Amino acid sequence: MGRSGKLYRGLAVVDCYKSLKEGKELVDDEILLACVLGWCIEWLQACAVVLDDIMDNSQTRRGKPCWFRLPKVGFIAINDGILLFNHVHRILKMYFREKPYYVDLLELFGEVEFQSVSGEMIDLITTHTGAKDLSNYSLSLYHRIVEYKGAYYSIYLPVACALVMAGENVENHVEVKKILVEITIYFQIQDDYQDCFGDPKATGKVGTDIEDCKCTWFVVKALELANEEQKKLLYENYGKADPACVAKVRELYQVLGLQGIYAEYERETYEKLSKTIKAHPNKAVQALWGRFVETRWTVERAGHAAGNS
């Protein structure tokens, strides 16, 4: 699975740790340990991908059928996901149990894992069959799902791992956590765009957010802008697997000009975040931004161009 992934979460640990050492040459042991933490995060990501695809009933991931879709796998994939999760702590014990910050790492991973599954729970109960109610969808709910489901393990954890390795107390970096949550929301809105309008050949995934009744940035914006007739259309068609219903929702998004609103949001937010991060005193935040933007930018732009073609 890793061979077809972008690995930017794991690589970000190394980038962040190097930045915190501020130009000092790293010994081989330091590089190895940073890489190990990076792989632990990638194993968490693999676990999340395997289980999330099952819960969302997704078809493809990274241009291939989802792991549970393979004939000889099926719901054995649930156990595979749990195995991936459990190996993270086995790896941490293997490489870090003699380190003075071992307990700090265990507590960090434990807290982030809890926050992530809590975010997944919020996401799932919001969209659960029989309880689909668009009247509950709001920007605050959307931000809450993104923060807990994605921000902590995907964006915060690489920086926090680097800080712990560098001898820092992560509790002293509350402002760092805040800016990392903002970055996650920005990236998730990009993902929402790709799910709805991106080219699966570029993204490697067939989007199912509309069918799955997901609380996305696009449906929240549509609810804000739609008149009563348009809201009725959205309520009648959102969250249904019928391709005709999905097409009506996408058409409404276009009528409301959401692609243009997204493009403006994306441009303004990128400029704002770039300026804020460039002036940020924490070098690890700057390193993470560089790694994630460099990796994601090509994919986002390719899908954006395909979606407008």
Side-chain angles (χ1 to χ4, degrees):
M1 181 178 294
R3 288 180 297 175
S4 60
K6 296 177 284 294
L7 305 180
Y8 51 71
R9 295 171 182 84
L11 292 168
V13 179
V14 181
D15 292 339
C16 292
Y17 185 67
K18 284 181 178 178
S19 70
L20 290 172
K21 301 299 282 188
E22 296 188 275
K24 295 178 183 177
E25 188 173 349
L26 304 184
V27 298
D28 289 345
D29 183 55
E30 288 179 297
I31 296 173
L32 171 64
L33 293 179
C35 288
V36 168
L37 288 176
W39 276 112
C40 285
I41 295 174
E42 288 296 332
W43 280 62
L44 273 184
Q45 164 67 5
C47 166
V49 164
V50 169
L51 298 180
D52 190 64
D53 283 346
I54 297 170
M55 290 182 280
D56 287 346
N57 198 32
S58 298
Q59 296 293 326
T60 59
R61 171 74 67 168
R62 298 170 184 168
K64 300 175 182 178
C66 295
W67 182 244
F68 81 99
R69 294 282 178 190
L70 299 181
K72 293 184 179 181
V73 179
F75 287 122
I76 296 173
I78 297 172
N79 195 66
D80 293 338
I82 296 170
L83 276 173
L84 290 167
F85 175 83
N86 278 274
H87 269 70
V88 171
H89 289 270
R90 295 172 66 87
I91 295 169
L92 288 174
K93 182 179 179 180
M94 184 183 300
Y95 285 92
F96 294 97
R97 61 181 168 183
E98 302 300 330
K99 299 295 179 183
Y101 51 82
Y102 177 51
V103 173
D104 294 328
L105 279 179
L106 291 181
E107 290 182 349
L108 173 63
F109 272 82
E111 183 62 21
V112 166
E113 289 157 1
F114 174 74
Q115 289 165 329
S116 299
V117 296
S118 296
E120 185 71 57
M121 179 188 68
I122 298 168
D123 184 28
L124 291 171
I125 62 176
T126 301
T127 61
H128 194 275
T129 302
K132 297 173 181 176
D133 186 0
L134 297 187
S135 65
N136 292 325
Y137 288 12
S138 65
L139 202 57
S140 61
L141 173 63
Y142 176 72
H143 285 177
R144 189 180 180 202
I145 292 171
V146 173
E147 177 179 351
Y148 283 90
K149 186 179 176 181
Y152 294 114
Y153 94 89
S154 192
I155 304 289
Y156 170 69
L157 188 54
V159 175
C161 282
L163 287 169
V164 170
M165 265 194 71
E168 296 279 345
N169 184 342
V170 293
E171 298 301 324
N172 296 333
H173 296 273
V174 177
E175 291 303 316
V176 169
K177 186 181 289 187
K178 288 181 180 178
I179 189 68
L180 294 175
V181 170
E182 288 184 39
I183 292 172
T184 308
I185 291 170
Y186 168 68
F187 286 151
Q188 183 57 52
I189 293 173
Q190 286 183 341
D191 287 347
D192 289 354
Y193 177 90
Q194 298 300 341
D195 188 278
C196 189
F197 299 110
D199 181 0
K201 292 179 181 177
T203 64
K205 183 180 180 182
V206 176
T208 60
D209 283 351
I210 295 174
E211 294 94 320
D212 295 338
C213 204
K214 291 293 182 180
C215 180
T216 69
W217 184 85
F218 282 90
V219 74
V220 168
K221 281 294 176 184
L223 288 166
E224 287 179 3
L225 298 172
N227 58 35
E228 290 306 313
E229 185 178 343
Q230 290 168 328
K231 282 183 182 179
K232 185 173 182 292
L233 184 148
L234 200 55
Y235 274 73
E236 290 174 351
N237 293 280
Y238 200 77
K240 295 182 179 177
D242 185 345
C245 294
V246 174
K248 287 179 182 178
V249 173
R250 283 205 180 97
E251 183 181 354
L252 177 60
Y253 286 173
Q254 291 173 334
V255 169
L256 293 171
L258 293 189
Q259 285 175 284
I261 294 171
Y262 162 80
E264 185 66 16
Y265 161 85
E266 197 276 336
R267 182 187 64 79
E268 289 181 354
T269 306
Y270 173 77
E271 291 176 357
K272 176 187 172 185
L273 284 172
S274 294
K275 184 177 180 181
T276 301
I277 292 165
K278 188 177 181 180
H280 202 282
N282 191 297
K283 300 295 182 184
V285 173
Q286 297 176 13
L288 179 133
W289 177 251
R291 166 62 66 182
F292 274 59
V293 169
E294 176 187 341
T295 309
R296 295 173 63 99
W297 199 254
T298 303
V299 175
E300 199 278 335
R301 287 302 180 199
H304 183 74
N308 286 327
S309 63

